[in-house]
Amino acid sequence: MSPSLLVKPRYINTLIDYYYYGKYRQRIQLLYKAPGNRLSIYNKLENDGKIVVREGLSYKVELLIKDYAGNLTKAIIPVEGKKEPVKVEKNEKKTENYVIAKKPNNYDLGAAKVYFPSNTFYDDFYIDLKKDDDTVRIHNSRVAAHRNFTITFDVSKYTEAEKKQMFIARLNSRLRPSHASTYKRGTTFTTRTRNLGTYTLAKDTIAPKIQTKNFKEKQWLNNYHYLSVRITDDLSGIDTYSATINGEWILMEYEPKTNTLTYNFDDVILDKKECKLEVTVTDNVGNTNTMTSTFYRK
């Protein structure tokens, strides 16, 4: 599959008011084709779907909306051509940095450098950039990025031991960090993302937690079809896990929505009544925890 086929679906960002979506997480459908929209879904399009309203004239706009099953909904919107004062002025914040979407853009924010390849964005705009020690703010989530851009942090002031437990994190509106895939090379940490927002260097020194979920220590599980274990990590997130029963590897399926590892007893016939389960979990910076639990089954 060619790269162009992989990125085309992202043009769906141009079908909605992305600024509104980034602020309220609600989608408002645009009824015209935005300048950056390169989707090939239009059979017939006049003036990019925009309607010219002339003063003194009346119009009746019909919206015909059909689903895949052929169900049709019609909405009629009366429009009067009348000049009225603008109730809400569009206030475009001008900054010292202006992104030309068709060109590559580089910015040095001190703690980190940001590189936007050409055509990262759909339109030109003033980008708001801020820096503060190990934290950089790259505009906000109300602008859609079409392609991945690169953020590179300088970590030369940290020791090797410190860097081992550090990673690049994106901060949410409550300033809670979430792990961003971090590539470590020498004195730099790099991440590639399509999410604008605030990024920082975070440190995770706490190993993941492992708890039995549907059984207790030394419990008989004769009538159980499966056993489950809950695994969580408070910061950098789960990277790998493995499990054995009586020293032999077993397949445990991971459900990230519920943070659950599940083992189906049908997978292996246990030849011992006393079974020792051992689960090892590692987070994204290498912190490891191992849980052992004994159960009985015949």
Side-chain angles (χ1 to χ4, degrees):
M1 184 177 291
S2 68
S4 61
L5 291 177
L6 290 173
V7 299
K8 274 188 176 181
R10 295 178 190 159
Y11 284 113
I12 198 170
N13 291 330
T14 62
L15 291 178
I16 63 173
D17 184 337
Y18 201 90
Y19 182 91
Y20 190 91
Y21 172 73
K23 187 174 182 179
Y24 301 105
R25 311 312 292 179
Q26 296 178 345
R27 291 179 174 85
I28 294 179
Q29 178 77 49
L30 299 181
L31 297 180
Y32 61 90
K33 184 180 179 183
N37 185 342
R38 293 173 55 188
L39 290 170
S40 57
I41 61 175
Y42 306 97
N43 296 324
K44 183 179 179 182
L45 193 63
E46 295 183 7
N47 195 32
D48 286 336
K50 297 176 183 177
I51 299 173
V52 177
V53 178
R54 302 188 184 280
E55 187 176 6
L57 298 181
S58 298
Y59 301 85
K60 183 176 70 172
V61 178
E62 284 191 3
L63 299 182
L64 303 178
I65 305 170
K66 184 184 294 186
D67 62 17
Y68 282 108
N71 301 306
L72 179 66
T73 297
K74 178 190 290 188
I76 299 176
I77 305 172
V79 176
E80 294 289 334
K82 184 188 299 183
K83 279 190 177 181
E84 292 185 348
V86 177
K87 294 182 179 180
V88 180
E89 292 282 353
K90 184 178 180 181
N91 185 19
E92 182 180 19
K93 181 181 178 181
K94 292 187 177 181
T95 67
E96 60 182 20
N97 298 303
Y98 189 71
V99 169
I100 305 296
K102 292 183 179 181
K103 296 182 179 180
N105 295 267
N106 279 288
Y107 300 99
D108 188 344
L109 303 182
K113 294 181 180 179
V114 184
Y115 171 64
F116 298 110
S118 57
N119 297 310
T120 297
F121 303 104
Y122 302 105
D123 301 296
D124 305 342
F125 68 103
Y126 286 98
I127 189 168
D128 189 18
L129 302 171
K130 294 286 190 303
K131 58 182 178 181
D132 180 18
D133 294 331
D134 284 340
T135 301
V136 294
R137 192 178 79 191
I138 307 168
H139 208 70
N140 56 58
S141 59
R142 300 168 198 172
V143 173
H146 184 72
R147 301 178 62 185
N148 283 323
F149 60 91
T150 303
I151 308 170
T152 302
F153 279 85
D154 179 3
V155 294
S156 57
K157 65 182 180 181
Y158 297 101
T159 66
E160 291 301 317
E162 288 175 320
K163 288 189 287 186
K164 186 177 180 181
Q165 294 180 315
M166 294 174 64
F167 61 96
I168 298 175
R170 184 170 184 257
L171 302 181
N172 64 15
S173 58
R174 297 181 179 179
L175 300 182
R176 176 166 176 79
S178 60
H179 179 267
S181 296
T182 304
Y183 304 91
K184 302 181 179 182
R185 179 178 295 178
T187 59
T188 61
F189 284 5
T190 300
T191 188
R192 298 180 72 244
T193 180
R194 288 189 292 114
N195 298 312
L196 299 178
T198 302
Y199 288 82
T200 190
L201 291 174
K203 189 175 183 180
D204 185 358
T205 61
I206 301 174
K209 294 181 180 179
I210 311 171
Q211 300 169 300
T212 59
K213 190 172 180 180
N214 71 331
F215 68 101
K216 298 178 181 179
E217 176 71 11
K218 295 185 178 181
Q219 182 179 346
W220 281 90
L221 305 181
N222 290 342
N223 298 322
Y224 281 58
H225 297 292
Y226 66 91
L227 59 81
S228 60
V229 173
R230 178 178 170 83
I231 60 174
T232 56
D233 189 78
D234 70 329
L235 194 53
S236 64
I238 302 298
D239 182 27
T240 63
Y241 62 87
S242 62
T244 62
I245 291 181
N246 296 333
E248 294 201 15
W249 181 86
I250 60 171
L251 173 64
M252 297 198 81
E253 297 183 359
Y254 180 45
E255 175 48 68
K257 291 182 179 179
T258 58
N259 300 311
T260 302
L261 291 175
T262 302
Y263 169 68
N264 192 324
F265 282 120
D266 292 339
D267 289 344
V268 174
I269 299 175
L270 304 176
D271 57 359
K272 295 180 180 179
K273 290 182 180 179
E274 182 175 324
C275 301
K276 182 180 179 181
L277 171 69
E278 184 171 292
V279 179
T280 300
V281 182
T282 303
D283 66 19
N284 278 297
V285 294
N287 298 312
T288 299
N289 189 16
T290 299
M291 180 209 75
T292 58
S293 181
T294 300
F295 63 90
Y296 300 97
R297 182 177 172 86
K298 64 179 180 179

